[in-house]
Amino acid sequence: MTVAPISLVAFLLFVCFSIAESFSSSRILHGSSSRQHTYDSRLELSKTPLDDSPSPFNTSPIEAIRNSMGFQKQEFQKAQADGFGTRARNAAVNATVGDILVPLCSNLEMRQKLANQGVYPGVEYEICSLTLASDNAVAISMSSGDSIVVDDGGTDNNSATATMTEPKIVQTLQGLDRGAKQGVIATVKPAYPLRAHLERNDWPVSVALLEDVPLWLAKATYEAGTAVGTLAVSLSGLITASLVAFWIQLVGVPTPSMLPALQPGTVVLVTRSLPMLGKPFQPKVGDVVFFDAPSELETVISQRMTLPEESATSNEDVNDDMANLVPSASSNKADANTNTKGKQLLKRVVAVPNEKVGVKQSSPYVQVSDTKYRFDVTGPYARPEVFSSDSWNRPLQTLGKKEYFVAGDNGYRSVDSRVWGPLQQKYLIGTAQWVVWPLDHFGPIPPGPISEVTKPITQTGGGE
C-alpha cells in the first residue's frame, strides 16, 4: 500500500527563504539593475575599508553568519524601540538629511495621490533636503537671537529691521519643537533603482513630509516589521500544513481485494482516526479503514512460507494481498517475518468492539441481537487450503474493547481478519473517506456487501 502524505520539506525551505528575503528592501519594486548596484557598492567598500575590521568577504562562512545575525539583532532592537504596526513611531518627526525612510499609507485614494507625486508606499526613500516653512524659519531665527523683520514693516521684540526671510534649509528636524516642524518640505528620491514603469526623470520630488504621508518608518523598523509579518504568516502556514499532513493522507490501492468498491490503482483520501477521543472519532461498521499490517499477519506469512515449494509458488499468478506482502519464491525465506513492516492495508469494518462476530463458509457474520444478524458476503478465498481451515469457519466470539473485525469486499483476493483474527486498535491509521483518482470515480467511498437480517426469535444459535 503506497502512502503519499503532504510533504513539509519544500514548505520549510520556502519559510527560510521568505524570512531571509524579507530583510531586503522592497524587493518586488526593485529594478533589474538593483542587484548589480548593490554588488558594485560592496566592491567599492571592500576596496576602501573604513576601518581595520576584517572584510566580510575574507571571513569564514560561520563567522559571516554570526556577524550577519549580530547585525540583524541590532537592527531589530532599533526597530523595537520605534514600535511595530499601529504603535510605530513616525520617523519623519526627527528626520535628517541622508536618512532612509519608508512611507506607509493604507488609504487607497491617498496612495494613488502619493504615487502621482512620485512617493510609492513601501519603497525606501532617501531624504535629500529639508526646508522649513517661512513662518517656522522666522520662529527659529528669533529663538536663536537673529535680527528678523517681518514684511508688514513692524519690528519684532529684538527691534530688528529687514525684509522677510526666505524658507530655511536645515539638515535635521531633531531638537525643533512641534510647531517648527509643521509644513516642512522634503525632497526625496528612491534609495535604489525601481522598475522602469515606476521611474521618473524629476527625482528628487518634493513632499510635505508630515502632512502628505500618514507615516514614515525607519528602514530598520520597516524591514523588521516585514520579517515579523513574514514569520507570522510562514508559521501559520507551517502549522496549517502540519495539521493537514497529520490529518490527511492520500493512499493508493495496489490489489483487487476491495473490488468492486475500489479498483487497483485507485487513490483515496484518508482522514486520521483518533479512537481514544470517543465514538465520533472511531471507525463505524461499513467504514473502510487504513491500518498497519498487524503482527498476527507476520505469523500467518511465516507459516505460509514453510509450505512445500509447489504450494508456495502455485499461487504466484494470483494478484492478492499475499502477493503484495509476501516475497517471491526466489527471495530469501529467512526474511519472511520482516516483510510486513512498513506495509499498510485497506479493509472494511464488519464488526466493532464488544460485538459478537464469526465466520461461516468464508463470509463473516455478526450477531447484533437475539434476532438480528449482520452478514458480509465476501465469498471464499482463492486458495483456502493455504491457510488453516479454522479461518473459513469461526465460531462467534466477542471482540475486545479495542478490537475490530475487518474484511475485504472481494474475499477471493483478500487476506483479512478471517485469517489473522481481530484487528487491534493500535494498528489503525485512518478511515478512507473519498475517491480522488481516477476522476470518473471521484466521490465518497462506495458501500460494501454488508446487510442486516432479522430472524424470528425461535431461530437462534448464532446463524448456525
Side-chain angles (χ1 to χ4, degrees):
M1 185 66 60
T2 57
V3 183
I6 299 176
S7 176
L8 300 181
V9 176
F11 187 83
L12 288 173
L13 293 176
F14 166 76
V15 170
C16 297
F17 178 76
S18 298
I19 295 174
E21 281 291 292
S22 66
F23 283 96
S24 64
S25 304
S26 303
R27 57 189 178 278
I28 297 178
L29 296 174
H30 279 214
S32 59
S33 61
S34 60
R35 292 185 178 180
Q36 184 64 40
H37 171 77
T38 304
Y39 179 72
D40 292 342
S41 300
R42 289 180 178 177
L43 285 179
E44 292 175 5
L45 288 174
S46 64
K47 292 177 182 178
T48 58
L50 300 178
D51 51 37
D52 296 332
S53 59
S55 170
F57 300 101
N58 297 327
T59 59
S60 65
I62 296 179
E63 187 66 24
I65 293 175
R66 185 182 294 112
N67 294 339
S68 176
M69 292 179 63
F71 173 76
Q72 297 298 347
K73 180 180 179 180
Q74 293 177 1
E75 291 295 299
F76 189 83
Q77 290 173 343
K78 293 178 183 178
Q80 191 176 21
D82 288 340
F84 294 106
T86 57
R87 298 183 179 181
R89 181 174 60 88
N90 193 342
V93 174
N94 293 317
T96 299
V97 173
D99 281 354
I100 304 297
L101 303 181
V102 181
L104 295 182
C105 179
S106 59
N107 185 285
L108 294 180
E109 183 177 351
M110 186 177 294
R111 287 171 66 95
Q112 185 59 51
K113 182 180 178 181
L114 290 174
N116 293 337
Q117 292 181 244
V119 179
Y120 306 114
V123 175
E124 296 174 11
Y125 282 88
E126 179 185 353
I127 305 297
C128 299
S129 67
L130 294 169
T131 305
L132 299 179
S134 299
D135 293 343
N136 295 339
V138 172
I140 297 283
S141 298
M142 289 175 62
S143 64
S144 62
D146 295 338
S147 295
I148 304 294
V149 172
V150 295
D151 57 357
D152 59 1
T155 353
D156 64 359
N157 293 332
N158 293 325
S159 301
T161 58
T163 58
M164 178 62 182
T165 60
E166 295 182 355
K168 184 174 182 178
I169 298 177
V170 296
Q171 290 298 309
T172 181
L173 298 183
Q174 296 183 19
L176 302 182
D177 58 43
R178 183 182 300 272
K181 299 175 182 178
Q182 296 300 317
V184 62
I185 301 298
T187 57
V188 298
K189 66 177 182 179
Y192 45 75
L194 305 180
R195 295 191 182 276
H197 68 282
L198 297 177
E199 286 286 4
R200 299 167 63 105
N201 55 12
D202 58 347
W203 303 118
V205 296
S206 298
V207 59
L209 197 63
L210 300 177
E211 287 77 16
D212 288 350
V213 181
L215 179 64
W216 292 85
L217 293 184
K219 177 182 177 181
T221 303
Y222 179 74
E223 291 180 347
T226 302
V228 171
T230 302
L231 180 61
V233 173
S234 300
L235 287 178
S236 63
L238 179 61
I239 292 173
T240 301
S242 300
L243 291 175
V244 170
F246 172 80
W247 190 255
I248 295 177
Q249 292 185 5
L250 297 178
V251 177
V253 181
T255 70
S257 66
M258 288 299 295
L259 285 172
L262 300 176
Q263 304 281 342
T266 297
V267 178
V268 297
L269 185 147
V270 173
T271 57
R272 183 170 293 273
S273 295
L274 299 173
M276 69 290 298
L277 298 181
K279 285 189 176 182
F281 299 92
Q282 294 175 350
K284 300 181 293 296
V285 172
D287 285 350
V288 174
V289 292
F290 179 57
F291 56 93
D292 289 319
S295 59
E296 293 83 357
L297 183 55
E298 294 183 1
T299 304
V300 171
I301 292 177
S302 177
Q303 294 173 351
R304 182 181 188 272
M305 295 301 292
T306 61
L307 293 175
E309 187 68 22
E310 60 273 12
S311 298
T313 59
S314 59
N315 198 33
E316 285 185 349
D317 60 335
V318 178
N319 179 21
D320 61 6
D321 288 330
M322 294 303 289
N324 184 50
L325 293 168
V326 180
S328 64
S330 60
S331 63
N332 187 1
K333 295 184 180 182
D335 295 333
N337 288 331
T338 62
N339 57 58
T340 62
K341 292 183 179 180
K343 299 287 187 178
Q344 292 86 31
L345 299 170
L346 278 169
K347 302 296 176 187
R348 196 178 298 274
V349 175
V350 180
V352 295
N354 301 318
E355 288 191 322
K356 294 181 179 180
V357 61
V359 178
K360 187 173 184 179
Q361 296 179 359
S362 299
S363 293
Y365 70 99
V366 180
Q367 185 179 6
V368 181
S369 66
D370 290 341
T371 60
K372 183 180 291 186
Y373 292 85
R374 181 187 308 132
F375 293 93
D376 183 18
V377 186
T378 60
Y381 185 58
R383 294 295 304 275
E385 69 277 7
V386 172
F387 302 108
S388 170
S389 59
D390 294 339
S391 301
W392 318 122
N393 287 281
R394 289 175 175 265
L396 284 172
Q397 67 179 89
T398 302
L399 296 177
K401 293 182 179 180
K402 297 182 179 181
E403 292 181 340
Y404 296 82
F405 195 96
V406 297
D409 292 351
N410 181 14
Y412 186 76
R413 301 289 179 86
S414 177
V415 178
D416 45 47
S417 288
R418 297 176 300 171
V419 174
W420 40 261
L423 174 68
Q424 302 295 321
Q425 179 178 288
K426 64 181 180 180
Y427 295 113
L428 287 175
I429 298 176
T431 303
Q433 304 287 356
W434 211 267
V435 175
V436 297
W437 184 264
L439 294 180
D440 56 345
H441 291 170
F442 185 84
I445 301 296
I450 297 178
S451 60
E452 290 190 355
V453 176
T454 301
K455 293 186 177 182
I457 297 179
T458 56
Q459 297 185 18
T460 58
E464 301 197 36

